[in-house]
């Protein structure tokens, strides 16, 4: 199908984009990478009268690491592509979780066009970056002609395909805080084929102290609820050396706490089972990453032959 008619705007700067968005309010939609919006237009599930193409807003194409060792953040501007974030050496050095999750977002051709900020505004409950932002307790910056607001991830996602960005607002930046201390990460998911939306996905962050005891164990999930879910499983894992932590118990606790739905891809029961298994494995991998980063591969999973505890089952 073809989209219904619209007026196409292609402003050269943020100021111009905000003017057009303010002028046409709810009749206008931002066009970023178009990887979600264009299919919606073609299927006529969306029919805005005005499209505001932000691809000339070069001032928003950055991926940057800011701040000092105490409080570093990765800032991603609205026209930076998924690929820009995935391949940025400073960003992946500071926050390997970004690359670990992004490698599961669709396929390289889609990541070359799709933007990370667009994916967050799109708020697909199966979108990897929604859970990454929530797990890291990041935030989004939203600008309108006369206002700028920063919204915490916990308040940003309102429902499936619904973020709190309102008509007239442009999401200009996503901010991903770099966890302090000795923190490891992992991202694991099950999809029917690599690059498909996940049936269930889980990210984990594990922080250890200098004696390699667990200080914090947190997880986040996609495809289990209308918005990304974050769980604190520190108590279930136990404040013990990471290689004796109860990752299996933490996985069981996660499965008990989650409340997935049935859909055409999977039953709720199967999703709950996957969430439990992925939790155990992701926490184990993140713990190992925190203890011995050189022993894990780029997904945060143990390299074959590397000295470590066995993957718990
Ligand atoms: C075949 C296929 C498979 C995919 N698989 C995955 C996957 O596994 N995981 C995943 O996470 N994603 C997946 N995607 C989606 C992809 O990540 C998209 O790029 C992303 O969801 C939207 O980003 P975009 O830049 O393309 O936004 P667009 O499609 O241009 O816009 C999406 C929505 O966000 C709004 N928007 C975009 N940017 C802004 C902004 N700066 N300010 C305000 N509103 C804005 C638009 O108005 C629109 O409503 C897939 C897409 C395809 C086509």
């Amino acid at each position: 199908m073809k989209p219904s008619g619209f007026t196409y705007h292609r402003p050269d700067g943020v100021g111009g984009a905000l003017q057009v968005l303010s002028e046409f309010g709810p009749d206008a939609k931002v066009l970023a990478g178009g990887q979600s919006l264009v299919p919606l237009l073609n299927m006529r599930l969306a029919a805005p009268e005005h499209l505001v193409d932000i691809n000339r807003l070069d001032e928003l194409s950055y991926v940057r690491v800011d701040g000092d060792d105490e409080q570093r953040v990765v800032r991603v501007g609205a026209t930076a592509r998924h690929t820009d974030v995935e391949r940025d050496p400073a960003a992946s050095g500071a926050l390997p979780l970004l690359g670990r999750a992004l490698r599961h977002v669709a396929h390289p051709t889609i990541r070359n066009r799709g933007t990370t900020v667009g994916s967050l505004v799109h708020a697909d409950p199966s979108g990897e970056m929604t859970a990454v932002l929530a797990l890291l307790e990041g935030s989004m910056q939203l600008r309108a002609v006369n206002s700028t607001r920063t919204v915490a991830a916990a308040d940003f996602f309102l429902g499936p395909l619904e973020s709190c960005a309102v008509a007239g607002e442009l999401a200009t930046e996503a901010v991903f805080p770099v966890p302090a201390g000795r923190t490891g990460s992992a991202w694991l998911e099950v999809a029917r084929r690599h690059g498909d939306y996940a049936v269930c996905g889980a990210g984990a962050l594990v922080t250890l102290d200098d004696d390699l005891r667990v200080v914090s164990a947190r997880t986040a999930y996609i495809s289990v609820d209308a918005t990304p879910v974050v769980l604190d499983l520190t108590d279930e894992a136990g404040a013990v050396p990471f290689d004796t932590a109860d990752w299996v118990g933490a996985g069981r606790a996660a499965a008990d706490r989650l409340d997935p739905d049935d859909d055409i891809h999977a039953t709720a029961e199967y999703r709950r089972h996957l969430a439990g298994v992925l939790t155990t494995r992701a926490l184990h991998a993140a713990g190992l990453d925190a203890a011995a980063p050189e022993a894990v591969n780029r997904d945060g999973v143990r390299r074959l032959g590397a000295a470590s505890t066995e993957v718990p089952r």
Side-chain angles (χ1 to χ4, degrees):
M1 278 178 71
K2 289 181 179 164
S4 52
F6 54 81
T7 306
Y8 175 72
H9 306 261
R10 191 164 54 167
D12 284 328
V14 172
L18 295 180
Q19 282 297 341
V20 188
L21 287 170
S22 143
E23 188 177 339
F24 298 109
D27 297 328
K29 266 215 164 288
V30 171
L31 173 69
Q35 297 302 296
S36 296
L37 183 56
V38 171
L40 290 176
L41 295 176
N42 287 343
M43 289 185 277
R44 301 210 177 183
L45 294 171
E49 287 172 21
H50 298 267
L51 269 194
V52 186
D53 182 343
I54 61 169
N55 285 283
R56 281 194 179 163
L57 272 49
D58 293 337
E59 68 261 52
L60 298 182
S61 68
Y62 57 87
V63 178
R64 216 173 44 226
V65 182
D66 270 356
D68 53 27
D69 280 351
E70 291 295 298
Q71 204 172 20
R72 275 190 307 160
V73 295
V74 176
R75 296 182 188 279
V76 177
T79 53
R81 313 287 163 186
H82 288 310
T83 309
D84 299 329
V85 184
E86 182 187 344
R87 296 198 183 154
D88 187 85
S92 45
L95 207 39
L97 179 60
L98 289 178
R100 286 171 182 161
L102 277 166
R103 278 188 279 279
H104 293 272
V105 174
H107 306 282
T109 42
I110 290 160
R111 301 203 292 272
N112 285 342
R113 284 302 300 168
T115 65
T116 296
V117 168
S119 154
L120 291 163
V121 178
H122 188 58
D124 190 321
S126 303
E128 282 78 1
M129 300 316 281
T130 62
V132 169
L133 193 78
L135 181 59
L136 293 167
E137 299 179 314
S139 61
M140 296 289 285
Q141 191 184 71
L142 298 170
R143 282 183 62 185
V145 168
N146 289 316
S147 66
T148 300
R149 58 185 182 126
T150 300
V151 183
D155 302 319
F156 187 73
F157 304 106
L158 302 182
L161 305 186
E162 190 186 2
S163 68
C164 76
V166 295
E169 280 186 318
L170 176 69
T172 47
E173 182 179 87
V175 182
F176 298 91
V178 177
R182 183 191 278 266
T183 299
S185 69
W187 183 274
L188 298 177
E189 63 183 52
V190 172
R192 285 168 63 88
R193 290 171 304 190
H194 183 78
D196 278 5
Y197 283 104
V199 176
C200 181
L205 285 180
V206 170
T207 304
L208 306 178
D209 65 15
D210 290 341
D211 299 323
L212 303 187
R213 298 172 78 87
V214 177
V215 174
S216 161
R218 296 170 64 247
T219 49
Y221 303 87
I222 57 170
S223 304
V224 297
D225 213 331
T227 55
V229 184
V230 177
L231 296 181
D232 188 334
L233 297 164
T234 314
D235 288 345
E236 285 83 354
V240 294
F242 86 98
D243 50 356
T244 59
D246 186 6
W247 303 130
V248 173
R252 272 195 219 108
D256 285 347
R257 283 202 232 163
L258 294 168
D259 187 18
D261 280 332
D262 287 315
D263 64 18
I264 55 165
H265 304 294
T267 62
E269 192 188 354
Y270 178 53
R271 278 211 164 85
R272 187 189 298 282
H273 168 74
L274 284 182
V277 173
L278 290 175
T279 299
T280 295
R281 294 186 180 181
L283 284 171
H284 171 264
L288 186 59
D289 184 36
E294 66 287 350
V296 299
N297 71 13
R298 61 187 198 158
D299 293 321
V301 175
R302 181 173 64 95
R303 283 183 198 281
L304 284 178
S308 81
T309 55
E310 284 305 307
V311 177
R313 295 187 179 275

